[in-house]
Amino acid sequence: QVQLVESGGGLVQAGGSLRLSCAASENIFDFNYMGWYRQVPGNQRDLVANINVGGVTRYADSVKGRFTISRDGNSKTIYLQMNDLKSEGTAVYYCHARRLRSEWWGQGSQVTVSS
């Protein structure tokens, strides 16, 4: 069973930065996609950013230019660098991995942006 363990959430002031990490139990290049979603209570889980096995990245329009997704194959970890955070960035952030028709989620990491 694939495990995704997140770390790095917390409380930050608007305009500040945080970096989320997601450590996978398997080689990250065995997944078609890995990425980050976020969810606020009562809303659906929305894509923030992802990266495919070839390294192509995709971002939600709301975070383009401020967030960066990256990966380190040696440590089997992906990252989400979040800069210039805004109050609407407050959410639970989930790491996600997909391989063919299977997908896995991390436990979620709370990010709170205070204004």
Side-chain angles (χ1 to χ4, degrees):
Q1 178 70 2
V2 173
Q3 291 186 325
L4 303 173
V5 179
E6 301 158 7
S7 59
L11 174 65
V12 64
Q13 287 188 333
S17 298
L18 280 177
R19 189 177 79 158
L20 301 179
S21 301
C22 171
S25 59
E26 299 185 12
N27 182 352
I28 61 174
F29 295 105
D30 286 344
F31 299 110
N32 301 119
Y33 290 91
M34 291 192 74
W36 296 91
Y37 285 71
R38 65 187 179 188
Q39 186 173 28
V40 298
N43 286 16
Q44 66 182 17
R45 199 171 289 187
D46 294 324
L47 176 70
V48 177
N50 67 14
I51 184 167
N52 71 8
V53 64
V56 176
T57 58
R58 180 173 61 161
Y59 295 92
D61 287 344
S62 60
V63 307
K64 284 180 181 176
R66 299 185 297 117
F67 289 15
T68 303
I69 188 169
S70 61
R71 62 188 178 185
D72 179 357
N74 290 330
S75 64
K76 298 185 287 186
T77 301
I78 67 167
Y79 303 95
L80 184 68
Q81 178 66 43
M82 304 184 290
N83 297 329
D84 189 23
L85 279 158
K86 304 181 186 303
S87 57
E88 54 264 36
T90 295
V92 178
Y93 285 70
Y94 294 91
C95 181
H96 175 260
R98 177 181 295 278
R99 180 190 301 144
L100 299 178
R101 298 178 185 173
S102 299
E103 61 179 355
W104 299 269
W105 295 93
Q107 80 280 9
S109 184
Q110 177 70 46
V111 172
T112 302
V113 184
S114 64
S115 56

